[in-house]
Amino acid sequence: MTTSNVDESRIVYREVVEAGKPWMHEVKAGQHFRIVDLEGNQAVDTLFYNAHDHSERYSAADTIREQGNIYLTTGSVLQSNLVNPMLTITDDTCGRHDTIGGACSAESNTVRYAIEKRHMHSCRDSFLMALGECECNHGQQMTKDDLASNINFFMNVPVSPDGHLDFDDGISAPGRYVEMKAHMDVLVLVSNCPQLNNPCNGYNPTPVEMIIWE
């Protein structure tokens, strides 16, 4: 059950995001936000912004430095580029999440796989689509310049002692989730990853569910 320990009466929003699709929504300070991996091993590329000032956003570098760990899990505090806590991971049934592998793009598909992969749909494409369709919160326009280093929830990217990254088989499973509590009003931008060239989605992208509650 994706809401097994959530009081259904307190849920204010829930939506299933289809495979390969973008999603954008605001999570208010004090609210809880859960991403559910419905079918297992589905990477969810995610960016966070201060809903009132998009120039303040999730910072992988500050988060890694402050917690002394390249992986995210229960207790991790997601820091902004101004070193303000944006969200804290309060529950995690997957175990760890990547914050250095980045988002797939036409360029990375070409470099990592083959020139003919350049035109395959990518997370960067999804991010840009969402920004283009956004009715900007609080009157702020957003562009490609607002894209930063993202989190890859449910994605397994082990790092070797010499610094080499591998995109390995996932460690998630159907129904596993990651849950966060917002410390500020946060705009969440998601690409439900469409990648077909590595095992981050088990070569089969699938839906995920978003749940927000008071």
Side-chain angles (χ1 to χ4, degrees):
M1 295 289 290
T2 60
T3 56
S4 58
N5 59 346
V6 177
D7 182 348
E8 295 275 352
S9 67
R10 301 178 68 180
I11 294 176
V12 297
Y13 178 95
R14 70 188 308 169
E15 181 178 351
V16 172
V17 181
E18 296 301 322
K21 298 296 185 180
W23 177 84
M24 181 180 271
H25 199 81
E26 186 172 337
V27 179
K28 299 289 189 181
Q31 288 182 333
H32 292 259
F33 169 52
R34 178 181 291 186
I35 307 174
V36 185
D37 187 0
L38 293 174
E39 298 184 31
N41 291 343
Q42 173 60 38
V44 182
D45 292 43
T46 308
L47 289 163
F48 297 103
Y49 302 87
N50 180 330
H52 302 277
D53 179 5
H54 299 154
S55 67
E56 182 174 17
R57 62 201 55 178
Y58 169 74
S59 169
D62 290 293
T63 298
I64 291 168
R65 185 190 65 247
E66 291 298 305
Q67 73 168 8
N69 193 327
I70 61 172
Y71 300 114
L72 305 176
T73 189
T74 304
S76 293
V77 179
L78 309 184
Q79 303 281 349
S80 77
N81 55 327
L82 301 181
V83 201
N84 291 319
M86 303 187 77
L87 308 98
T88 294
I89 297 179
T90 55
D91 198 3
D92 174 20
T93 62
C94 177
R96 74 180 192 190
H97 307 268
D98 167 66
T99 194
I100 59 175
C104 58
S105 64
E107 293 79 11
S108 65
N109 283 340
T110 301
V111 170
R112 290 173 180 161
Y113 308 114
I115 187 67
E116 59 266 25
K117 306 293 187 181
R118 177 177 177 82
H119 300 293
M120 295 181 71
H121 188 59
S122 68
C123 284
R124 182 174 172 81
D125 293 335
S126 289
F127 285 150
L128 292 174
M129 286 171 59
L131 293 182
E133 297 170 0
C134 176
E135 294 182 5
C136 296
N137 290 358
H138 310 289
Q140 297 181 73
Q141 294 293 327
M142 298 183 75
T143 71
K144 64 182 180 181
D145 293 334
D146 291 298
L147 296 182
S149 296
N150 60 283
I151 296 170
N152 294 308
F153 287 114
F154 308 114
M155 189 165 161
N156 185 26
V157 186
V159 181
S160 68
D162 64 358
H164 179 74
L165 303 184
D166 287 310
F167 294 88
D168 279 3
D169 292 336
I171 58 174
S172 186
R176 292 190 178 178
Y177 61 82
V178 59
E179 180 180 306
M180 293 150 271
K181 182 177 181 179
H183 300 299
M184 63 173 70
D185 294 346
V186 175
L187 182 64
V188 186
L189 173 58
V190 159
S191 167
N192 192 19
C193 183
Q195 182 60 257
L196 293 168
N197 298 298
N198 71 50
C200 70
N201 297 324
Y203 301 102
N204 178 39
T206 54
V208 295
E209 186 175 29
M210 309 297 186
I211 305 172
I212 302 171
W213 71 94
E214 300 288 355

PDB file of all heavy atoms in Angstrom, residues 142-178:
ATOM      1  N   MET A 142      10.659  30.904 -15.657  1.00  0.00           N
ATOM      2  CA  MET A 142      11.756  29.960 -15.506  1.00  0.00           C
ATOM      3  C   MET A 142      12.231  29.534 -16.883  1.00  0.00           C
ATOM      4  O   MET A 142      11.438  29.387 -17.816  1.00  0.00           O
ATOM      5  CB  MET A 142      11.325  28.746 -14.679  1.00  0.00           C
ATOM      6  CG  MET A 142      10.918  29.098 -13.262  1.00  0.00           C
ATOM      7  SD  MET A 142      10.499  27.644 -12.253  1.00  0.00           S
ATOM      8  CE  MET A 142      12.147  26.978 -11.928  1.00  0.00           C
ATOM      9  N   THR A 143      13.549  29.355 -17.015  1.00  0.00           N
ATOM     10  CA  THR A 143      14.159  28.992 -18.287  1.00  0.00           C
ATOM     11  C   THR A 143      15.164  27.867 -18.066  1.00  0.00           C
ATOM     12  O   THR A 143      15.359  27.399 -16.938  1.00  0.00           O
ATOM     13  CB  THR A 143      14.881  30.200 -18.915  1.00  0.00           C
ATOM     14  OG1 THR A 143      16.071  30.489 -18.140  1.00  0.00           O
ATOM     15  CG2 THR A 143      13.992  31.438 -18.945  1.00  0.00           C
ATOM     16  N   LYS A 144      15.844  27.477 -19.133  1.00  0.00           N
ATOM     17  CA  LYS A 144      16.866  26.431 -19.026  1.00  0.00           C
ATOM     18  C   LYS A 144      17.988  26.833 -18.081  1.00  0.00           C
ATOM     19  O   LYS A 144      18.688  25.969 -17.530  1.00  0.00           O
ATOM     20  CB  LYS A 144      17.426  26.081 -20.395  1.00  0.00           C
ATOM     21  CG  LYS A 144      18.167  27.226 -21.079  1.00  0.00           C
ATOM     22  CD  LYS A 144      18.648  26.798 -22.463  1.00  0.00           C
ATOM     23  CE  LYS A 144      19.399  27.925 -23.154  1.00  0.00           C
ATOM     24  NZ  LYS A 144      19.863  27.521 -24.512  1.00  0.00           N
ATOM     25  N   ASP A 145      18.183  28.130 -17.876  1.00  0.00           N
ATOM     26  CA  ASP A 145      19.223  28.580 -16.951  1.00  0.00           C
ATOM     27  C   ASP A 145      18.906  28.204 -15.508  1.00  0.00           C
ATOM     28  O   ASP A 145      19.781  28.268 -14.643  1.00  0.00           O
ATOM     29  CB  ASP A 145      19.401  30.097 -17.053  1.00  0.00           C
ATOM     30  CG  ASP A 145      19.976  30.526 -18.391  1.00  0.00           C
ATOM     31  OD1 ASP A 145      20.673  29.706 -19.022  1.00  0.00           O
ATOM     32  OD2 ASP A 145      19.722  31.670 -18.813  1.00  0.00           O
ATOM     33  N   ASP A 146      17.648  27.835 -15.239  1.00  0.00           N
ATOM     34  CA  ASP A 146      17.253  27.449 -13.886  1.00  0.00           C
ATOM     35  C   ASP A 146      17.524  25.976 -13.591  1.00  0.00           C
ATOM     36  O   ASP A 146      17.323  25.533 -12.461  1.00  0.00           O
ATOM     37  CB  ASP A 146      15.768  27.749 -13.664  1.00  0.00           C
ATOM     38  CG  ASP A 146      15.492  29.239 -13.611  1.00  0.00           C
ATOM     39  OD1 ASP A 146      16.019  29.907 -12.706  1.00  0.00           O
ATOM     40  OD2 ASP A 146      14.757  29.746 -14.480  1.00  0.00           O
ATOM     41  N   LEU A 147      17.956  25.214 -14.579  1.00  0.00           N
ATOM     42  CA  LEU A 147      18.263  23.806 -14.343  1.00  0.00           C
ATOM     43  C   LEU A 147      19.606  23.678 -13.626  1.00  0.00           C
ATOM     44  O   LEU A 147      20.570  24.341 -13.973  1.00  0.00           O
ATOM     45  CB  LEU A 147      18.301  23.034 -15.664  1.00  0.00           C
ATOM     46  CG  LEU A 147      16.982  22.965 -16.438  1.00  0.00           C
ATOM     47  CD1 LEU A 147      17.166  22.129 -17.699  1.00  0.00           C
ATOM     48  CD2 LEU A 147      15.868  22.401 -15.576  1.00  0.00           C
ATOM     49  N   ALA A 148      19.616  22.817 -12.619  1.00  0.00           N
ATOM     50  CA  ALA A 148      20.834  22.607 -11.823  1.00  0.00           C
ATOM     51  C   ALA A 148      21.052  21.106 -11.658  1.00  0.00           C
ATOM     52  O   ALA A 148      20.321  20.292 -12.227  1.00  0.00           O
ATOM     53  CB  ALA A 148      20.672  23.292 -10.462  1.00  0.00           C
ATOM     54  N   SER A 149      22.049  20.738 -10.865  1.00  0.00           N
ATOM     55  CA  SER A 149      22.295  19.316 -10.595  1.00  0.00           C
ATOM     56  C   SER A 149      21.115  18.736  -9.821  1.00  0.00           C
ATOM     57  O   SER A 149      20.671  19.311  -8.828  1.00  0.00           O
ATOM     58  CB  SER A 149      23.581  19.147  -9.790  1.00  0.00           C
ATOM     59  OG  SER A 149      24.700  19.589 -10.534  1.00  0.00           O
ATOM     60  N   ASN A 150      20.632  17.597 -10.273  1.00  0.00           N
ATOM     61  CA  ASN A 150      19.411  17.013  -9.721  1.00  0.00           C
ATOM     62  C   ASN A 150      19.693  15.793  -8.850  1.00  0.00           C
ATOM     63  O   ASN A 150      20.778  15.223  -8.868  1.00  0.00           O
ATOM     64  CB  ASN A 150      18.460  16.614 -10.853  1.00  0.00           C
ATOM     65  CG  ASN A 150      19.083  15.590 -11.782  1.00  0.00           C
ATOM     66  OD1 ASN A 150      19.922  15.938 -12.611  1.00  0.00           O
ATOM     67  ND2 ASN A 150      18.691  14.338 -11.651  1.00  0.00           N
ATOM     68  N   ILE A 151      18.660  15.405  -8.119  1.00  0.00           N
ATOM     69  CA  ILE A 151      18.652  14.133  -7.391  1.00  0.00           C
ATOM     70  C   ILE A 151      18.055  13.067  -8.298  1.00  0.00           C
ATOM     71  O   ILE A 151      17.115  13.329  -9.032  1.00  0.00           O
ATOM     72  CB  ILE A 151      17.821  14.247  -6.099  1.00  0.00           C
ATOM     73  CG1 ILE A 151      18.447  15.248  -5.136  1.00  0.00           C
ATOM     74  CG2 ILE A 151      17.682  12.873  -5.422  1.00  0.00           C
ATOM     75  CD1 ILE A 151      17.558  15.597  -3.955  1.00  0.00           C
ATOM     76  N   ASN A 152      18.594  11.850  -8.225  1.00  0.00           N
ATOM     77  CA  ASN A 152      18.016  10.701  -8.910  1.00  0.00           C
ATOM     78  C   ASN A 152      17.469   9.739  -7.858  1.00  0.00           C
ATOM     79  O   ASN A 152      18.182   8.855  -7.375  1.00  0.00           O
ATOM     80  CB  ASN A 152      19.062  10.000  -9.781  1.00  0.00           C
ATOM     81  CG  ASN A 152      19.524  10.860 -10.931  1.00  0.00           C
ATOM     82  OD1 ASN A 152      18.724  11.386 -11.686  1.00  0.00           O
ATOM     83  ND2 ASN A 152      20.832  11.020 -11.057  1.00  0.00           N
ATOM     84  N   PHE A 153      16.218   9.949  -7.476  1.00  0.00           N
ATOM     85  CA  PHE A 153      15.618   9.048  -6.491  1.00  0.00           C
ATOM     86  C   PHE A 153      15.478   7.647  -7.092  1.00  0.00           C
ATOM     87  O   PHE A 153      15.136   7.478  -8.266  1.00  0.00           O
ATOM     88  CB  PHE A 153      14.256   9.569  -6.036  1.00  0.00           C
ATOM     89  CG  PHE A 153      14.347  10.768  -5.134  1.00  0.00           C
ATOM     90  CD1 PHE A 153      13.860  12.000  -5.542  1.00  0.00           C
ATOM     91  CD2 PHE A 153      14.932  10.671  -3.875  1.00  0.00           C
ATOM     92  CE1 PHE A 153      13.938  13.110  -4.708  1.00  0.00           C
ATOM     93  CE2 PHE A 153      15.026  11.771  -3.030  1.00  0.00           C
ATOM     94  CZ  PHE A 153      14.530  12.993  -3.451  1.00  0.00           C
ATOM     95  N   PHE A 154      15.771   6.626  -6.274  1.00  0.00           N
ATOM     96  CA  PHE A 154      15.682   5.197  -6.609  1.00  0.00           C
ATOM     97  C   PHE A 154      16.757   4.741  -7.599  1.00  0.00           C
ATOM     98  O   PHE A 154      16.723   3.601  -8.046  1.00  0.00           O
ATOM     99  CB  PHE A 154      14.298   4.833  -7.171  1.00  0.00           C
ATOM    100  CG  PHE A 154      13.149   5.276  -6.321  1.00  0.00           C
ATOM    101  CD1 PHE A 154      12.262   6.239  -6.779  1.00  0.00           C
ATOM    102  CD2 PHE A 154      12.965   4.750  -5.056  1.00  0.00           C
ATOM    103  CE1 PHE A 154      11.202   6.667  -5.997  1.00  0.00           C
ATOM    104  CE2 PHE A 154      11.903   5.161  -4.259  1.00  0.00           C
ATOM    105  CZ  PHE A 154      11.019   6.126  -4.733  1.00  0.00           C
ATOM    106  N   MET A 155      17.697   5.605  -7.942  1.00  0.00           N
ATOM    107  CA  MET A 155      18.717   5.245  -8.933  1.00  0.00           C
ATOM    108  C   MET A 155      19.990   4.798  -8.232  1.00  0.00           C
ATOM    109  O   MET A 155      20.437   5.414  -7.264  1.00  0.00           O
ATOM    110  CB  MET A 155      19.001   6.435  -9.847  1.00  0.00           C
ATOM    111  CG  MET A 155      19.878   6.124 -11.036  1.00  0.00           C
ATOM    112  SD  MET A 155      19.757   7.486 -12.234  1.00  0.00           S
ATOM    113  CE  MET A 155      21.227   7.216 -13.194  1.00  0.00           C
ATOM    114  N   ASN A 156      20.583   3.723  -8.735  1.00  0.00           N
ATOM    115  CA  ASN A 156      21.764   3.118  -8.134  1.00  0.00           C
ATOM    116  C   ASN A 156      23.000   3.496  -8.943  1.00  0.00           C
ATOM    117  O   ASN A 156      23.207   2.999 -10.046  1.00  0.00           O
ATOM    118  CB  ASN A 156      21.595   1.590  -8.092  1.00  0.00           C
ATOM    119  CG  ASN A 156      22.747   0.904  -7.375  1.00  0.00           C
ATOM    120  OD1 ASN A 156      23.412   1.497  -6.526  1.00  0.00           O
ATOM    121  ND2 ASN A 156      22.965  -0.355  -7.695  1.00  0.00           N
ATOM    122  N   VAL A 157      23.808   4.410  -8.377  1.00  0.00           N
ATOM    123  CA  VAL A 157      25.032   4.869  -9.052  1.00  0.00           C
ATOM    124  C   VAL A 157      26.210   4.693  -8.091  1.00  0.00           C
ATOM    125  O   VAL A 157      26.624   5.634  -7.410  1.00  0.00           O
ATOM    126  CB  VAL A 157      24.921   6.341  -9.504  1.00  0.00           C
ATOM    127  CG1 VAL A 157      26.154   6.738 -10.321  1.00  0.00           C
ATOM    128  CG2 VAL A 157      23.668   6.564 -10.331  1.00  0.00           C
ATOM    129  N   PRO A 158      26.744   3.476  -7.997  1.00  0.00           N
ATOM    130  CA  PRO A 158      27.904   3.276  -7.125  1.00  0.00           C
ATOM    131  C   PRO A 158      29.130   3.994  -7.654  1.00  0.00           C
ATOM    132  O   PRO A 158      29.300   4.160  -8.867  1.00  0.00           O
ATOM    133  CB  PRO A 158      28.107   1.757  -7.131  1.00  0.00           C
ATOM    134  CG  PRO A 158      27.431   1.287  -8.380  1.00  0.00           C
ATOM    135  CD  PRO A 158      26.305   2.237  -8.653  1.00  0.00           C
ATOM    136  N   VAL A 159      29.984   4.421  -6.729  1.00  0.00           N
ATOM    137  CA  VAL A 159      31.210   5.133  -7.069  1.00  0.00           C
ATOM    138  C   VAL A 159      32.392   4.311  -6.581  1.00  0.00           C
ATOM    139  O   VAL A 159      32.472   3.944  -5.403  1.00  0.00           O
ATOM    140  CB  VAL A 159      31.237   6.537  -6.430  1.00  0.00           C
ATOM    141  CG1 VAL A 159      32.525   7.272  -6.820  1.00  0.00           C
ATOM    142  CG2 VAL A 159      30.013   7.344  -6.848  1.00  0.00           C
ATOM    143  N   SER A 160      33.325   4.018  -7.480  1.00  0.00           N
ATOM    144  CA  SER A 160      34.499   3.229  -7.123  1.00  0.00           C
ATOM    145  C   SER A 160      35.511   4.098  -6.384  1.00  0.00           C
ATOM    146  O   SER A 160      35.424   5.335  -6.416  1.00  0.00           O
ATOM    147  CB  SER A 160      35.136   2.646  -8.382  1.00  0.00           C
ATOM    148  OG  SER A 160      35.684   3.687  -9.172  1.00  0.00           O
ATOM    149  N   PRO A 161      36.487   3.496  -5.708  1.00  0.00           N
ATOM    150  CA  PRO A 161      37.498   4.283  -4.992  1.00  0.00           C
ATOM    151  C   PRO A 161      38.258   5.268  -5.876  1.00  0.00           C
ATOM    152  O   PRO A 161      38.738   6.296  -5.394  1.00  0.00           O
ATOM    153  CB  PRO A 161      38.440   3.205  -4.426  1.00  0.00           C
ATOM    154  CG  PRO A 161      37.574   1.996  -4.268  1.00  0.00           C
ATOM    155  CD  PRO A 161      36.634   2.046  -5.443  1.00  0.00           C
ATOM    156  N   ASP A 162      38.349   4.973  -7.186  1.00  0.00           N
ATOM    157  CA  ASP A 162      39.061   5.893  -8.081  1.00  0.00           C
ATOM    158  C   ASP A 162      38.130   6.941  -8.691  1.00  0.00           C
ATOM    159  O   ASP A 162      38.534   7.710  -9.567  1.00  0.00           O
ATOM    160  CB  ASP A 162      39.786   5.118  -9.184  1.00  0.00           C
ATOM    161  CG  ASP A 162      38.836   4.373 -10.120  1.00  0.00           C
ATOM    162  OD1 ASP A 162      37.601   4.431  -9.899  1.00  0.00           O
ATOM    163  OD2 ASP A 162      39.321   3.717 -11.062  1.00  0.00           O
ATOM    164  N   GLY A 163      36.861   6.993  -8.225  1.00  0.00           N
ATOM    165  CA  GLY A 163      35.940   8.027  -8.674  1.00  0.00           C
ATOM    166  C   GLY A 163      35.112   7.672  -9.888  1.00  0.00           C
ATOM    167  O   GLY A 163      34.381   8.518 -10.403  1.00  0.00           O
ATOM    168  N   HIS A 164      35.166   6.432 -10.344  1.00  0.00           N
ATOM    169  CA  HIS A 164      34.387   6.023 -11.515  1.00  0.00           C
ATOM    170  C   HIS A 164      32.932   5.793 -11.131  1.00  0.00           C
ATOM    171  O   HIS A 164      32.639   5.179 -10.100  1.00  0.00           O
ATOM    172  CB  HIS A 164      34.974   4.740 -12.104  1.00  0.00           C
ATOM    173  CG  HIS A 164      34.233   4.231 -13.290  1.00  0.00           C
ATOM    174  ND1 HIS A 164      34.305   4.831 -14.529  1.00  0.00           N
ATOM    175  CD2 HIS A 164      33.371   3.178 -13.429  1.00  0.00           C
ATOM    176  CE1 HIS A 164      33.550   4.164 -15.382  1.00  0.00           C
ATOM    177  NE2 HIS A 164      32.964   3.164 -14.737  1.00  0.00           N
ATOM    178  N   LEU A 165      32.002   6.304 -11.980  1.00  0.00           N
ATOM    179  CA  LEU A 165      30.572   6.112 -11.759  1.00  0.00           C
ATOM    180  C   LEU A 165      30.056   4.973 -12.620  1.00  0.00           C
ATOM    181  O   LEU A 165      30.423   4.850 -13.787  1.00  0.00           O
ATOM    182  CB  LEU A 165      29.779   7.381 -12.120  1.00  0.00           C
ATOM    183  CG  LEU A 165      30.130   8.689 -11.432  1.00  0.00           C
ATOM    184  CD1 LEU A 165      29.155   9.777 -11.874  1.00  0.00           C
ATOM    185  CD2 LEU A 165      30.089   8.547  -9.934  1.00  0.00           C
ATOM    186  N   ASP A 166      29.171   4.152 -12.042  1.00  0.00           N
ATOM    187  CA  ASP A 166      28.486   3.113 -12.798  1.00  0.00           C
ATOM    188  C   ASP A 166      26.982   3.301 -12.651  1.00  0.00           C
ATOM    189  O   ASP A 166      26.497   3.637 -11.565  1.00  0.00           O
ATOM    190  CB  ASP A 166      28.860   1.718 -12.281  1.00  0.00           C
ATOM    191  CG  ASP A 166      30.268   1.318 -12.674  1.00  0.00           C
ATOM    192  OD1 ASP A 166      30.604   1.432 -13.867  1.00  0.00           O
ATOM    193  OD2 ASP A 166      31.027   0.891 -11.783  1.00  0.00           O
ATOM    194  N   PHE A 167      26.247   3.090 -13.740  1.00  0.00           N
ATOM    195  CA  PHE A 167      24.789   3.120 -13.692  1.00  0.00           C
ATOM    196  C   PHE A 167      24.329   1.666 -13.646  1.00  0.00           C
ATOM    197  O   PHE A 167      24.206   1.012 -14.678  1.00  0.00           O
ATOM    198  CB  PHE A 167      24.244   3.867 -14.909  1.00  0.00           C
ATOM    199  CG  PHE A 167      24.615   5.324 -14.903  1.00  0.00           C
ATOM    200  CD1 PHE A 167      25.807   5.759 -15.462  1.00  0.00           C
ATOM    201  CD2 PHE A 167      23.790   6.261 -14.308  1.00  0.00           C
ATOM    202  CE1 PHE A 167      26.161   7.101 -15.448  1.00  0.00           C
ATOM    203  CE2 PHE A 167      24.133   7.608 -14.283  1.00  0.00           C
ATOM    204  CZ  PHE A 167      25.317   8.023 -14.847  1.00  0.00           C
ATOM    205  N   ASP A 168      24.081   1.174 -12.426  1.00  0.00           N
ATOM    206  CA  ASP A 168      23.856  -0.246 -12.193  1.00  0.00           C
ATOM    207  C   ASP A 168      22.379  -0.582 -12.058  1.00  0.00           C
ATOM    208  O   ASP A 168      21.516   0.295 -12.001  1.00  0.00           O
ATOM    209  CB  ASP A 168      24.598  -0.683 -10.928  1.00  0.00           C
ATOM    210  CG  ASP A 168      26.075  -0.940 -11.177  1.00  0.00           C
ATOM    211  OD1 ASP A 168      26.535  -0.718 -12.315  1.00  0.00           O
ATOM    212  OD2 ASP A 168      26.775  -1.344 -10.234  1.00  0.00           O
ATOM    213  N   ASP A 169      22.114  -1.879 -11.954  1.00  0.00           N
ATOM    214  CA  ASP A 169      20.753  -2.330 -11.693  1.00  0.00           C
ATOM    215  C   ASP A 169      20.229  -1.668 -10.432  1.00  0.00           C
ATOM    216  O   ASP A 169      20.968  -1.493  -9.446  1.00  0.00           O
ATOM    217  CB  ASP A 169      20.718  -3.852 -11.515  1.00  0.00           C
ATOM    218  CG  ASP A 169      21.037  -4.594 -12.805  1.00  0.00           C
ATOM    219  OD1 ASP A 169      20.838  -4.005 -13.879  1.00  0.00           O
ATOM    220  OD2 ASP A 169      21.469  -5.759 -12.723  1.00  0.00           O
ATOM    221  N   GLY A 170      18.947  -1.324 -10.442  1.00  0.00           N
ATOM    222  CA  GLY A 170      18.352  -0.640  -9.308  1.00  0.00           C
ATOM    223  C   GLY A 170      18.255  -1.516  -8.061  1.00  0.00           C
ATOM    224  O   GLY A 170      18.314  -2.746  -8.133  1.00  0.00           O
ATOM    225  N   ILE A 171      18.100  -0.865  -6.915  1.00  0.00           N
ATOM    226  CA  ILE A 171      17.935  -1.580  -5.649  1.00  0.00           C
ATOM    227  C   ILE A 171      16.538  -1.342  -5.077  1.00  0.00           C
ATOM    228  O   ILE A 171      16.240  -1.750  -3.961  1.00  0.00           O
ATOM    229  CB  ILE A 171      19.009  -1.166  -4.622  1.00  0.00           C
ATOM    230  CG1 ILE A 171      18.966   0.348  -4.375  1.00  0.00           C
ATOM    231  CG2 ILE A 171      20.387  -1.605  -5.085  1.00  0.00           C
ATOM    232  CD1 ILE A 171      19.911   0.800  -3.273  1.00  0.00           C
ATOM    233  N   SER A 172      15.682  -0.689  -5.854  1.00  0.00           N
ATOM    234  CA  SER A 172      14.313  -0.453  -5.418  1.00  0.00           C
ATOM    235  C   SER A 172      13.445  -1.662  -5.791  1.00  0.00           C
ATOM    236  O   SER A 172      13.915  -2.633  -6.386  1.00  0.00           O
ATOM    237  CB  SER A 172      13.763   0.827  -6.044  1.00  0.00           C
ATOM    238  OG  SER A 172      12.492   1.135  -5.526  1.00  0.00           O
ATOM    239  N   ALA A 173      12.152  -1.580  -5.433  1.00  0.00           N
ATOM    240  CA  ALA A 173      11.211  -2.666  -5.698  1.00  0.00           C
ATOM    241  C   ALA A 173       9.804  -2.073  -5.693  1.00  0.00           C
ATOM    242  O   ALA A 173       9.598  -0.954  -5.212  1.00  0.00           O
ATOM    243  CB  ALA A 173      11.346  -3.764  -4.644  1.00  0.00           C
ATOM    244  N   PRO A 174       8.813  -2.783  -6.208  1.00  0.00           N
ATOM    245  CA  PRO A 174       7.453  -2.245  -6.253  1.00  0.00           C
ATOM    246  C   PRO A 174       6.951  -1.773  -4.886  1.00  0.00           C
ATOM    247  O   PRO A 174       7.048  -2.499  -3.890  1.00  0.00           O
ATOM    248  CB  PRO A 174       6.627  -3.427  -6.768  1.00  0.00           C
ATOM    249  CG  PRO A 174       7.589  -4.216  -7.594  1.00  0.00           C
ATOM    250  CD  PRO A 174       8.897  -4.111  -6.866  1.00  0.00           C
ATOM    251  N   GLY A 175       6.428  -0.546  -4.855  1.00  0.00           N
ATOM    252  CA  GLY A 175       5.853   0.002  -3.632  1.00  0.00           C
ATOM    253  C   GLY A 175       6.822   0.702  -2.711  1.00  0.00           C
ATOM    254  O   GLY A 175       6.403   1.334  -1.736  1.00  0.00           O
ATOM    255  N   ARG A 176       8.107   0.642  -2.995  1.00  0.00           N
ATOM    256  CA  ARG A 176       9.064   1.364  -2.151  1.00  0.00           C
ATOM    257  C   ARG A 176       8.934   2.865  -2.376  1.00  0.00           C
ATOM    258  O   ARG A 176       8.535   3.301  -3.451  1.00  0.00           O
ATOM    259  CB  ARG A 176      10.495   0.887  -2.413  1.00  0.00           C
ATOM    260  CG  ARG A 176      10.712  -0.554  -1.940  1.00  0.00           C
ATOM    261  CD  ARG A 176      12.154  -0.970  -1.972  1.00  0.00           C
ATOM    262  NE  ARG A 176      12.302  -2.335  -1.479  1.00  0.00           N
ATOM    263  CZ  ARG A 176      13.438  -3.003  -1.419  1.00  0.00           C
ATOM    264  NH1 ARG A 176      14.565  -2.412  -1.822  1.00  0.00           N
ATOM    265  NH2 ARG A 176      13.481  -4.234  -0.951  1.00  0.00           N
ATOM    266  N   TYR A 177       9.281   3.621  -1.343  1.00  0.00           N
ATOM    267  CA  TYR A 177       9.061   5.067  -1.438  1.00  0.00           C
ATOM    268  C   TYR A 177      10.129   5.838  -0.684  1.00  0.00           C
ATOM    269  O   TYR A 177      10.862   5.286   0.152  1.00  0.00           O
ATOM    270  CB  TYR A 177       7.671   5.439  -0.898  1.00  0.00           C
ATOM    271  CG  TYR A 177       7.434   5.100   0.565  1.00  0.00           C
ATOM    272  CD1 TYR A 177       7.874   5.935   1.585  1.00  0.00           C
ATOM    273  CD2 TYR A 177       6.739   3.940   0.914  1.00  0.00           C
ATOM    274  CE1 TYR A 177       7.652   5.620   2.916  1.00  0.00           C
ATOM    275  CE2 TYR A 177       6.515   3.622   2.243  1.00  0.00           C
ATOM    276  CZ  TYR A 177       6.970   4.464   3.245  1.00  0.00           C
ATOM    277  OH  TYR A 177       6.755   4.149   4.578  1.00  0.00           O
ATOM    278  N   VAL A 178      10.198   7.117  -1.009  1.00  0.00           N
ATOM    279  CA  VAL A 178      11.011   8.067  -0.256  1.00  0.00           C
ATOM    280  C   VAL A 178      10.091   9.213   0.134  1.00  0.00           C
ATOM    281  O   VAL A 178       9.257   9.644  -0.651  1.00  0.00           O
ATOM    282  CB  VAL A 178      12.227   8.561  -1.072  1.00  0.00           C
ATOM    283  CG1 VAL A 178      11.812   9.240  -2.366  1.00  0.00           C
ATOM    284  CG2 VAL A 178      13.099   9.487  -0.242  1.00  0.00           C
TER     285      VAL A 178
END
